[in-house]
Amino acid sequence: MAVIASAPGKVLMTGGYLILERPNAGIVLSTNARFYAIVKPLYEEIKPESWAWAWTDVKLTSPQMSRETIYKLSLKHLTLQPVSSSSASRNPFVEHAVQYAVAAAHAKLGKDKTDALQKILLQGLDITILGCNEFYSYRNQIELQGLPLTPESLALLPPFSSITFNAEESSGQKPEVAKTGLGSSAAMTTAVVASLLHYLGVVDLSSGKKVDADLDIVHMIAQTAHCIAQGKVGSGFDVSSAVYGSQRYVRFSPEVLSSAQGAVKGIPLEEVISDVLQAKWDHERKKFSLPPSMTLLLGEPGTGGSSTPSMVGAVKKWQKSDPQNSLETWRKLSEANSALELHLNALSGLAEKHSDAYKNVINRCSVLTSEKWVGGEDESSQAVIEALLGARNSMLGIRNHMRKMGEAAGIPIEPESQSELLDATMNMEGVLLAGVPGAGGFDAVFAVTLGASSDNVIRAWSSRNVLALLVREDPNGVSIENNDPRAKEITTAVSSIRIE
């Protein structure tokens, strides 16, 4: 029986760079763009020789990249060795996800269930990974077909279309694949971990049965796999949102993963993962979502994305070389981030307590530019207007400090072309916020619009050669898709794409 798990992509609205250090917080929104992992047995029956040699087969298929890799998985050491591949490129995120999820199964299920686990593993693991089109850039395909740069054109593409690769760049500023910056590696890792843990009986993520303890296990294993695969302990906000959904996030202490980092020294993997599961994970998360009648939009400017690790490295180098000025910039940026969070929370509270006044103000402001957001009829209406303007001013402050940080570090956190686009966007009717998410650079920009104003922004972006994506906020995290209608769509997509 196949298990299909999905995990969402993200937009880090506040907390870029600061979120790397405790106790700085970031607001991360999960989206309707999802990565899927499909796990099923590779063989109908257990191969007799597998019992003797204590190994099993794992097949990893990535149809969108035309890649297929066959591995041998040691059931004793839980190591993966590729034996054949349709491409020289390997996927360390999926490899670590498989190893750590299997190790977690051994650690959590106990000795009495070892035989049952072995039998499942000896049937082999057939894993297929698929990412929604929104994770990747399809501008070239749309332009080659002579179609306009609109969401409607994106919707005409087949689900899980083949992915465009960037031309090789000597600067290393662009990733291998033309991405939109939604956190594909974190969503993919989380989906693979969740599907395997559910498939192996470690957790039950079925709708209606999902409990925090099971999600916590998925989170710990996915964070570990993702950090080790990328060669460093990152902030983890992208994995956390992939597991739990939209949230206010403060990172965990890097020491939590010290045992996993030491695994290369020969410590058995099952022991390492057992330590990870028992460690004191001290991250903080609090549910968060945009206030009512607000829409998250993402626009792709068509520059192929940016390499977050290289940009983070440049900022860290600047911090060491100029500690006094960098500390002051971070303090001001942190204050602006906190102010935006405060205003958005205030708006959510006003929507709940004074719903009629809130709706009236939002509808009125949705057809006006911000300088005309004035004249609240009563105290509650005025409070809504003040919170809207406060949120805008906070966003302008965030952008200003991010630009200064980029200039000081010598990297394009908010490049000039993005600044022009964001200024024009924030001057449109009904636009509350616009900015560069996360680490910034040339990934997709985001905007938050009021009421029904999003259509006007989409048209304006198209006229500026910016492709509005089919991405919206979806506050839900990881889920099992067995009973989801998309599962049929996924199966169709898998069967219709041939590995070259």
Side-chain angles (χ1 to χ4, degrees), residues 46 50-51 53-56 73-76 78 102 105-106 109 111 113-124 200 270:
I46 298 171
S50 298
W51 284 102
W53 295 104
W55 54 260
T56 192
L73 172 64
S74 167
L75 299 180
K76 181 179 181 181
L78 307 182
V102 173
H106 281 283
L109 293 177
K111 301 296 182 184
K113 296 183 179 178
T114 299
D115 283 349
L117 176 61
Q118 291 289 85
K119 286 180 180 178
I120 295 174
L121 292 173
L122 286 169
Q123 283 186 271
L200 297 175
E270 184 180 340

Side-chain angles (χ1 to χ4, degrees), residues 414-429:
E414 187 183 291
E416 189 174 336
S417 59
Q418 300 282 63
S419 293
E420 292 173 1
L421 171 61
L422 295 172
D423 289 342
T425 301
M426 287 194 74
N427 288 329
M428 295 177 195
E429 292 88 351

Side-chain angles (χ1 to χ4, degrees), residues 11 56 71 347:
V11 175
T56 192
Y71 298 90
L347 286 163

Side-chain angles (χ1 to χ4, degrees), residues 9-39:
K10 52 69 189 172
V11 175
L12 183 65
M13 197 162 65
T14 71
Y17 298 98
L18 271 70
I19 204 170
L20 290 166
E21 297 180 6
R22 290 172 59 85
N24 297 314
I27 294 174
V28 54
L29 305 178
S30 56
T31 70
N32 59 349
R34 287 185 166 261
F35 233 98
Y36 297 85
I38 306 167
V39 179

